[in-house]
Amino acid sequence: MDLPTGLPYPGLGFLLTLVFGFWLSRRGRPYNGLLFNIHKLIALASVILAATRIYQLLKPLDIQAPIAILLVISALSVVALFLSGALMSANQGEYRTIKLIHNASPFILVLSAACTAYLL
Ligand code: HEM
């Protein structure tokens, strides 16, 4: 079976990550292990798929500084999501601040990705 090109899988994965994130959050702490692992693994798979697709899309292009800056912002928000998620699950650090970072990062990610798509 031929897999369609484009970004449907990372996009769908991102939506599923959000759904499982809200579900995990609603169940409260201590976190439900199954929901936590599904949330984390879908996030990881989506990031790998998205990074592969973006690399393929951008490889033949001459990247301008604004796009490079937006890509760095997107990458940093992904790092922030994984670090904050890991810290919350390990019960480390100041929970309210870390959760705020985890809640704000998806907005920064979507905004920087949308601006990148617009500039391309
Ligand atoms: C693309 C990556 C990710 C996105 C977009 C994302 C998004 C979300 C969202 C929207 C919530 C619900 C927050 C709320 O209801 O206030 C959430 C909760 C959570 N996520 Fe993520 N997440 C991502 C990756 C991760 C990773 C990699 C981990 C673990 C290493 C993780 C751990 C958690 C935990 C522990 C919660 C529950 C927080 C709480 O309410 O106490 N997340 N996530």
Side-chain angles (χ1 to χ4, degrees), residues 11-120:
L12 193 68
F14 185 75
L15 281 180
L16 279 175
T17 304
L18 291 182
V19 169
F20 277 97
F22 286 122
W23 192 0
L24 174 67
S25 196
R26 296 289 170 279
R27 292 287 297 265
R29 300 206 286 177
Y31 297 124
N32 177 292
L34 183 64
L35 291 178
F36 173 73
N37 281 314
I38 293 174
H39 177 61
K40 184 177 66 181
L41 292 177
I42 297 177
L44 184 64
S46 310
V47 166
I48 292 171
L49 275 176
T52 311
R53 280 299 297 146
I54 290 164
Y55 177 72
Q56 287 167 352
L57 282 170
L58 298 184
K59 206 164 76 166
L61 303 180
D62 185 20
I63 301 300
Q64 303 298 309
I67 293 179
I69 292 168
L70 286 168
L71 288 173
V72 170
I73 294 173
S74 300
L76 286 177
S77 45
V78 168
V79 171
L81 277 165
F82 278 71
L83 275 181
S84 55
L87 285 172
M88 285 191 293
S89 69
N91 227 342
Q92 298 280 314
E94 217 268 304
Y95 174 73
R96 273 160 49 110
T97 312
I98 295 169
K99 187 168 154 107
L100 186 68
I101 293 170
H102 202 77
N103 286 0
S105 299
F107 289 101
I108 299 168
L109 180 58
V110 168
L111 203 66
S112 54
C115 290
T116 309
Y118 177 75
L119 288 180
L120 285 172

